[in-house]
């Protein structure tokens, strides 16, 4: 039990430091093959026994920091799988923006909490276990990464059930 608690504490400290430093946004932007990144994340999740589907394709690479984009998407996918049992990523691409919709089939989030869950260390449930609640930084980190790139992350409950996290990243001219 002590070793498990120690690992949870180490993970919490690492996430807190990442959040405080904003490490992911320091690497300069370069073209990122979003389809390859999503396929890599899908392979990782499937290897762990998780279900993840991808619908649609990006029309071309997007200018972004590769580790930052991977971290942002990873956090959103981890939440979808942890709370919804699986994740479906819908890729919508246009000349002005790349939109990635991460959908799950979980219970959703009460409407008054949809913005609050982006606050650092805020969690909907009181458990301290990383298996059920994490540190409360995943969504805050994802949104910070998106906003540093000129985009955003929004959450919405789906009429048919589940939650949709929408990551929007602008396409830049030239």
């Amino acid at each position: 039990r002590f070793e498990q608690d120690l690992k949870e504490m180490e993970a919490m400290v690492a996430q807190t430091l990442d959040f405080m430093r904003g490490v992911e946004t320091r690497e300069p932007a370069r073209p990122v093959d979003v389809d390859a990144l999503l396929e890599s994340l899908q392979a990782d999740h499937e290897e762990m026994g998780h279900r993840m589907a991808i619908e649609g394709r990006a029309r071309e690479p997007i200018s972004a920091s590769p580790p930052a984009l991977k971290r942002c998407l990873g956090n959103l996918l981890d939440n979808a799988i942890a709370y919804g049992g699986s994740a479906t990523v819908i890729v919508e691409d246009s000349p002005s923006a790349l939109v990635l919709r991460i959908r799950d089939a979980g219970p959703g989030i009460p409407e008054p909490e949809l913005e609050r869950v982006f606050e650092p260390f805020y969690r909907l449930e009181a458990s301290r276990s990383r298996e059920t609640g994490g540190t409360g930084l995943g969504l805050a980190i994802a949104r910070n990464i998106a906003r540093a790139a000129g985009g955003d992350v929004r959450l919405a409950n789906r009429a048919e059930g589940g939650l949709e996290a929408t990551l929007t990243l602008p396409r830049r001219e030239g």
Side-chain angles (χ1 to χ4, degrees):
R1 180 71 187 142
F2 174 76
E3 288 181 19
Q4 182 180 355
D5 288 344
L6 185 59
K7 286 181 183 180
E8 289 175 6
M9 189 178 304
E10 287 172 348
M12 185 181 291
V13 168
Q15 277 196 325
T16 302
L17 289 174
D18 282 350
F19 178 76
M20 299 300 282
R21 288 190 300 234
V23 171
E24 276 74 24
T25 60
R26 289 187 184 171
E27 183 170 320
R30 62 176 203 237
V32 176
D33 182 337
V34 175
D35 296 326
L37 175 58
L38 287 171
E39 289 165 6
S40 170
L41 289 165
Q42 181 181 36
D44 291 347
H45 278 288
E46 288 178 349
E47 191 173 295
M48 293 184 287
H50 303 151
R51 292 181 321 199
M52 181 184 153
I54 303 167
E55 298 175 6
R57 300 196 55 82
R59 60 184 186 84
E60 63 186 43
I62 191 154
S63 181
S65 163
L69 184 55
K70 183 176 182 180
R71 178 69 180 273
C72 180
L73 284 168
N75 287 358
L76 297 173
L77 289 166
D78 289 349
N79 276 358
I81 289 167
Y83 298 105
S86 64
T88 300
V89 180
I90 294 103
V91 180
E92 300 171 356
D93 203 352
S94 73
S96 61
L98 174 67
V99 178
L100 303 170
R101 300 181 188 282
I102 296 92
R103 294 180 176 165
D104 69 43
I109 295 175
E111 290 292 326
E113 304 291 319
L114 286 171
E115 273 303 306
R116 193 149 184 232
V117 295
F118 287 104
E119 294 174 12
F121 305 108
Y122 183 79
R123 296 186 330 211
L124 288 174
E125 51 82 38
S127 168
R128 290 186 336 140
S129 170
R130 282 186 37 80
E131 279 120 41
T132 60
T135 61
L137 286 173
L139 289 173
I141 290 170
R143 180 174 265 181
N144 283 351
I145 290 168
R147 287 183 171 175
D152 204 358
V153 175
R154 300 269 179 210
L155 298 178
N157 289 306
R158 299 172 51 220
E160 60 275 19
L163 189 71
E164 179 175 275
T166 303
L167 168 62
T168 304
L169 296 170
R171 290 217 175 258
R172 293 187 169 83
E173 296 294 323

